[in-house]
Amino acid sequence: AMRTAASTQEMLEMDHPSSSSSTWMICFTHLPHPLCGYYASLLEGIPIRPFKYIQGGNEEGVTVNMTAPVLTGITPSDGPFCQTSFIVRFFVPLAFQDNPPIPLSSLDLNVERWDSPTYFAVREFSGFASDTNVAQEGAALAASVDAAGFTISSTPKDEVYIIAQYNSPFDITGRVNEVWLPISINDTSRLNVA
């Protein structure tokens, strides 16, 4: 990870998943207002589809090891009658990066490749991710990005931000989450390698 000081109390991490390409298994959903929050997306069962995939829900019937983090990309609705979009990403283990098992069509999963460097400002937070703390942490990170003079961009799927979760849903304590904001890096000399 690369870092640059955003303030004396906080660091911005500029993450770039890989200097080469990376492969993710993704699923999409759209939730209408008022069920448009991050927590509601979890209740809709979005994470269940990738879980079924790793348990052998693929054409090869292969069990795939779980990886972390699980990413949830969020594109908020534009108004009270619009839908919020969620994209859940599961990093395909290194053994399957070049040739991931093909998901069963009933799971409605797709393969996504990140082929070029993508930079994110990252802010870590603890506990269970919820609509309240996701919004608070995202706003605090956006303020830090702005104060540091970076420009917020968007992901290839136009997500406004991404939530990264590193723990099993069964872990009650010691939870690690991050909010990621995609940023533009025109001058990498501004970054310091940590």
Side-chain angles (χ1 to χ4, degrees):
M2 294 173 259
R3 300 176 190 267
T4 184
S7 71
T8 57
Q9 300 168 334
E10 180 180 66
M11 299 295 284
L12 284 179
E13 267 188 40
M14 305 306 168
D15 259 2
H16 148 292
S18 172
S19 57
S20 59
S21 64
S22 59
T23 303
W24 300 78
M25 197 59 60
I26 66 171
C27 58
F28 301 88
T29 194
H30 306 282
L31 295 178
H33 180 80
L35 297 175
C36 59
Y38 171 75
Y39 186 71
S41 73
L42 300 178
L43 296 178
E44 286 292 306
I46 296 171
I48 292 172
R49 291 186 276 164
F51 181 74
K52 287 181 179 178
Y53 171 78
I54 68 173
Q55 292 299 311
N58 52 70
E59 291 183 5
E60 294 82 352
V62 175
T63 300
V64 178
N65 289 335
M66 183 64 193
T67 61
V70 172
L71 305 181
T72 303
I74 303 170
T75 305
S77 66
D78 290 333
F81 302 108
C82 299
Q83 295 182 332
T84 296
S85 298
F86 298 88
I87 300 174
V88 175
R89 288 180 178 86
F90 163 74
F91 182 78
V92 175
L94 295 177
F96 297 110
Q97 277 289 301
D98 294 333
N99 191 20
I102 299 167
L104 297 175
S105 59
S106 62
L107 296 180
D108 195 24
L109 298 173
N110 298 287
V111 173
E112 177 183 72
R113 292 192 65 80
W114 289 5
D115 289 319
S116 59
T118 304
Y119 293 94
F120 295 93
V122 176
R123 180 178 171 97
E124 185 178 307
F125 62 102
S126 60
F128 282 91
S130 68
D131 292 328
T132 302
N133 62 8
V134 163
Q136 290 170 343
E137 299 295 338
L141 180 58
S144 295
V145 168
D146 186 55
F150 289 99
T151 303
I152 296 173
S153 61
S154 65
T155 68
K157 300 271 190 273
D158 292 325
E159 297 135 299
V160 174
Y161 55 95
I162 293 174
I163 303 304
Q165 295 186 80
Y166 290 86
N167 299 83
S168 160
F170 305 109
D171 291 346
I172 304 299
T173 61
R175 297 187 64 80
V176 177
N177 311 291
E178 295 170 337
V179 59
W180 296 7
L181 289 176
I183 58 171
S184 297
I185 302 290
N186 297 324
D187 180 7
T188 56
S189 68
R190 292 183 59 201
L191 303 176
N192 299 317
V193 176

